[in-house]
């Protein structure tokens, strides 16, 4: 009994009677396919049980319960790795297609997964969508079948996206031992290197090395132009990558050519998340200009002017360096804080999303939600700092008795309200137009003639302190 038939029997047994439409939806196949499975199940269960239907509803009549249980257990052991859901099939197909170079037909996969060719064709649409995210395509040729077309580095990155959720919870002892060996090689090399990586970046690197070693053992290598390799060789990341490769050769017996070492170096270069590190103060003109473009894009879309926020631009520029490598090479960076960032800082996240086109124009691809989360943190900090600063005012002091008393008032207001004042002027006549607050020791004749005199009556300075504080909070 195959895994799909076993799944069907279990579904009917758990919720009988059950409609054929419900079975089709849960199995993610057509109603016709469900009826075919029922015929196969009855053939396998002859003398033990039988699935019977009436008016589109199915139930199972069991003659020998112990034997039925034995048959179902045997089916689970006979096909332990066969997926029984659409998501499971898509992951299986992606892994198999990415790891093979030869052609394979839809019919071969249909027989292997116990589904119809039509069901598998629908699954292949999802496979193609996933491949497209990594600039890979599904090549099709009559009488040959299908295979993945694209670069080796893109294959590995796609494989990494599939393996990432599985590796931390693996119960495969051999796989776990290999991962521990790779982790030791990485830790030893980075301990002696000035290159520092976060725990998330280290985990991603270990995963990519695991995939790379499997591909190298199959004779598949990452191609790289000699000029690109030479450009990387002078960096401290390449030196660390070279030591990692040497440790892997000693521990696992797998030799990594210069191109593979360069690929490790690229992963190390893309390690950052915008958190300032010791020695990271040097920012190139190119990164500074991109950060400035991002700030302008936010101003155009959201009308928030951060042009004078030097710290924001520095944080963005620091982040853009490693981000550029990740975008160019489609590297993934986990962001465990993403749900919290979207909930707590929705405006900052929207601002980060508004910079996507700037980054796509410079690096050829849009940042993922995880990357936008890291960018949002820089804008969230800028917004918090902006909110903590009071809105400063312009004040005009009008004094008819002379400049001396006006200057005395100016001194007192600067002393009491300096944090609220951006500019304070004194004059002999009331020029109201450009001032937010007007303070006068006397009203002029022109002022008294207006219907609403803007000049305040004499008040103690404490009342002005309360007024300034309240107005600043409202603005």
């Amino acid at each position: 009994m195959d895994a799909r038939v076993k799944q069907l029997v279990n579904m009917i047994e758990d919720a009988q009677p059950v409609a054929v439409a419900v079975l089709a939806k849960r199995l993610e196949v057509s109603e016709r396919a469900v009826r075919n499975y029922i015929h196969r199940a009855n053939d396998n269960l002859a003398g033990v049980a039988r699935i019977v239907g009436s008016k589109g509803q199915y139930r199972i009549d069991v003659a020998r319960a112990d034997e039925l249980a034995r048959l179902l257990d045997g089916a689970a052991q006979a096909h332990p790795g066969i997926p029984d859901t659409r998501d499971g099939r898509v992951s299986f197909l992606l892994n198999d297609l990415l790891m093979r170079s030869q052609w394979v037909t839809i019919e071969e996969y249909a027989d292997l997964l116990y589904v119809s060719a039509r069901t598998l064709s629908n699954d292949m649409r999802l496979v193609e969508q996933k491949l497209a995210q990594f600039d890979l395509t599904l090549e099709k040729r009559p009488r040959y079948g299908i295979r993945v077309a694209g670069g080796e580095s893109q294959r590995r990155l796609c494989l990494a996206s599939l393996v990432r959720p599985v590796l931390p919870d693996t119960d495969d002892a051999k796989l776990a031992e290999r991962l521990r060996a790779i982790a030791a090689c990485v830790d030893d090399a980075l301990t002696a290197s000035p290159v520092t990586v976060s725990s998330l970046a280290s985990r991603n690197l270990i995963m990519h090395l695991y995939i790379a070693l499997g591909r190298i053992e199959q004779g598949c290598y990452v191609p790289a132009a000699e000029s690109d390799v030479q450009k990387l060789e002078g960096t401290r990341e390449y030196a660390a990558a070279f030591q990692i490769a040497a440790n892997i050769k000693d521990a696992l017996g797998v030799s990594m050519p210069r191109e593979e070492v360069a690929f490790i170096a690229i992963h190390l270069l893309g390690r950052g998340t915008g958190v300032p590190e010791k020695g990271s103060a040097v920012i190139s003109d190119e990164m500074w200009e991109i950060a400035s473009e991002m700030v302008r894009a936010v101003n155009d879309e959201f009308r928030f002017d951060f042009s004078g926020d030097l710290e924001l631009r520095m944080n963005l520029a620091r982040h853009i360096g490693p981000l550029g490598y990740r975008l160019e090479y489609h590297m993934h960076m986990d962001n465990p804080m993403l749900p919290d960032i979207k909930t707590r800082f929705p405006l900052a996240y929207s601002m980060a999303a508004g910079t996507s086109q700037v980054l796509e124009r410079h690096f050829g691809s849009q940042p993922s939600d995880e990357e936008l989360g890291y960018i949002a943190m820089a804008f969230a900090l800028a917004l918090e700092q902006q909110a903590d600063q009071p809105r400063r005012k312009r004040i005009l002091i009008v004094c008819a008795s002379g400049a001396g008393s006006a200057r005395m008032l100016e001194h007192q207001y600067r002393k009491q309200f300096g944090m609220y004042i951006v500019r304070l002027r004194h004059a002999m006549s009331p020029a109201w137009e450009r001032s937010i607050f007007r303070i006068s020791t006397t009203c002029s004749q022109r002022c008294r003639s207006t219907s609403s005199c803007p000049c305040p009556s004499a008040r103690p300075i404490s009342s002005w302190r309360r007024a300034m504080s309240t107005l600043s909070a409202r603005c």
Side-chain angles (χ1 to χ4, degrees):
M1 183 186 302
D2 63 54
R4 181 49 61 91
V5 171
K6 175 210 165 183
Q7 185 184 13
L8 173 74
V9 173
N10 284 329
M11 285 180 182
I12 297 174
E13 210 176 13
D14 292 341
Q16 55 184 321
V18 58
V20 65
V22 173
L23 292 170
K25 184 176 181 179
R26 293 182 62 185
L27 290 171
E28 299 175 341
V29 296
S30 65
E31 293 185 11
R32 180 179 177 182
V34 169
R35 294 187 178 92
N36 290 335
Y37 290 143
I38 290 172
H39 289 311
R40 286 162 58 181
N42 285 333
D43 290 341
N44 285 306
L45 297 174
V48 177
R50 182 168 183 81
I51 299 172
V52 295
S54 174
K55 299 180 180 180
Q57 301 279 332
Y58 287 90
R59 70 176 193 278
I60 183 167
D61 293 337
V62 181
R64 297 159 57 191
D66 292 343
E67 184 65 16
L68 176 62
R70 189 189 66 78
L71 285 172
L72 293 177
D73 289 342
Q77 296 173 7
H79 306 282
I82 301 300
D84 53 13
T85 65
R86 170 174 289 182
D87 289 343
R89 291 195 303 271
V90 170
S91 294
F92 178 91
L93 292 167
L94 282 165
N95 272 292
D96 191 76
L97 285 164
L98 289 165
M99 292 300 290
R100 69 164 69 223
S101 56
Q102 68 273 26
W103 298 93
V104 60
T105 65
I106 293 289
E107 289 72 20
E108 288 177 291
Y109 277 137
D111 292 340
L112 177 64
L113 298 174
Y114 301 104
V115 295
S116 66
R118 179 180 178 182
T119 297
L120 201 63
S121 295
N122 292 331
D123 295 340
M124 281 299 175
R125 294 192 184 96
L126 299 178
V127 170
E128 290 184 275
Q129 290 175 13
K130 181 70 173 179
L131 292 174
Q133 295 175 15
F134 297 88
D135 296 329
L136 297 169
T137 59
L138 201 60
E139 187 178 358
K140 303 172 185 178
R141 185 179 296 181
R143 296 188 298 277
Y144 283 83
I146 57 175
R147 67 180 181 184
V148 172
E152 176 64 20
S153 59
Q154 282 74 27
R155 281 177 181 260
R156 294 187 188 182
L157 292 169
C158 188
L159 279 167
S161 71
L162 301 172
V163 174
R164 187 179 299 106
V166 177
L167 289 186
D169 302 320
T170 182
D171 54 1
D172 187 326
K174 186 176 180 181
L175 171 58
E177 178 60 31
R178 183 156 199 175
L179 289 172
R180 283 194 293 270
I182 295 172
C185 294
V186 172
D187 291 342
D188 289 346
L190 294 182
T191 300
S193 167
V195 176
T196 58
V197 298
S198 67
S199 59
L200 284 175
S202 177
R203 188 175 67 186
N204 284 339
L205 177 60
I206 292 166
M207 176 188 58
H208 281 285
L209 285 169
Y210 166 76
I211 293 170
L213 294 179
R215 297 292 292 168
I216 290 171
E217 289 171 343
Q218 291 183 335
C220 302
Y221 297 90
V222 171
E226 180 64 24
S227 58
D228 292 338
V229 176
Q230 290 177 355
K231 188 185 302 181
L232 290 168
E233 283 181 329
T235 65
R236 62 183 186 176
E237 285 80 8
Y238 187 90
F242 185 85
Q243 188 58 53
I244 290 172
N247 292 349
I248 286 175
K249 182 178 181 180
D250 294 339
L252 300 173
V254 180
S255 296
M256 306 185 78
R258 291 171 65 245
E259 292 80 5
E260 294 289 348
V261 175
F263 196 60
I264 299 174
I266 289 171
H267 280 281
L268 291 174
L269 284 164
R271 72 192 184 280
T273 60
V275 179
E277 299 175 0
K278 185 177 180 180
S280 65
V282 177
I283 298 173
S284 69
D285 292 342
E286 181 185 4
M287 299 302 104
W288 187 258
E289 180 54 35
I290 295 173
S292 299
E293 285 186 42
M294 294 168 71
V295 169
R296 288 195 293 269
V298 168
N299 185 26
D300 292 342
E301 184 172 351
F302 296 92
R303 299 304 177 194
F304 272 81
D305 186 7
F306 294 113
S307 58
D309 193 331
L310 180 63
E311 183 179 358
L312 171 62
R313 280 197 281 177
M314 289 186 68
N315 287 338
L316 289 174
R318 286 193 190 102
H319 184 70
I320 290 167
L323 172 62
Y325 284 100
R326 295 197 294 272
L327 291 178
E328 184 177 354
Y329 292 98
H330 299 281
M331 296 179 187
H332 178 84
M333 174 65 77
D334 288 323
N335 189 343
M337 302 180 294
L338 181 60
D340 193 42
I341 291 171
K342 287 184 173 181
T343 302
R344 293 182 57 196
F345 309 113
L347 176 58
Y349 186 84
S350 297
M351 288 178 173
T355 67
S356 293
Q357 291 185 350
V358 174
L359 295 170
E360 183 180 21
R361 187 165 62 250
H362 285 277
F363 301 111
S365 63
Q366 287 198 356
S368 64
D369 286 353
E370 287 80 3
E371 295 287 7
L372 290 178
Y374 286 118
I375 297 172
M377 291 303 295
F379 284 107
L381 176 61
L383 288 168
E384 290 287 331
Q385 291 175 335
Q386 194 176 81
D388 290 341
Q389 296 176 358
R391 299 291 294 274
R392 305 177 74 186
K393 316 300 180 200
R394 294 187 301 275
I395 297 178
L396 175 68
I397 296 177
V398 180
C399 185
S401 61
S405 57
R407 288 197 176 94
M408 177 60 71
L409 279 174
E410 176 186 358
H411 173 74
Q412 290 181 354
Y413 275 89
R414 285 194 186 279
K415 183 178 179 180
Q416 296 293 331
F417 310 119
M419 65 182 296
Y420 298 107
I421 298 172
V422 66
R423 188 176 184 187
L424 194 152
R425 299 174 57 203
H426 50 83
M428 298 298 292
S429 61
W432 317 115
E433 288 74 12
R434 300 186 59 188
S435 301
I436 296 176
F437 287 102
R438 300 97 178 182
I439 302 167
S440 177
T441 59
T442 182
C443 289
S444 68
Q445 178 154 0
R446 188 191 70 167
C447 181
R448 286 195 297 270
S449 66
T450 60
S451 58
S452 57
C453 173
C455 298
S457 59
R459 299 179 186 174
I461 214 157
S462 59
S463 67
W464 280 99
R465 185 184 298 114
R466 289 193 297 272
M468 294 281 280
S469 253
T470 303
L471 286 168
S472 180
R474 290 177 179 175
C475 290

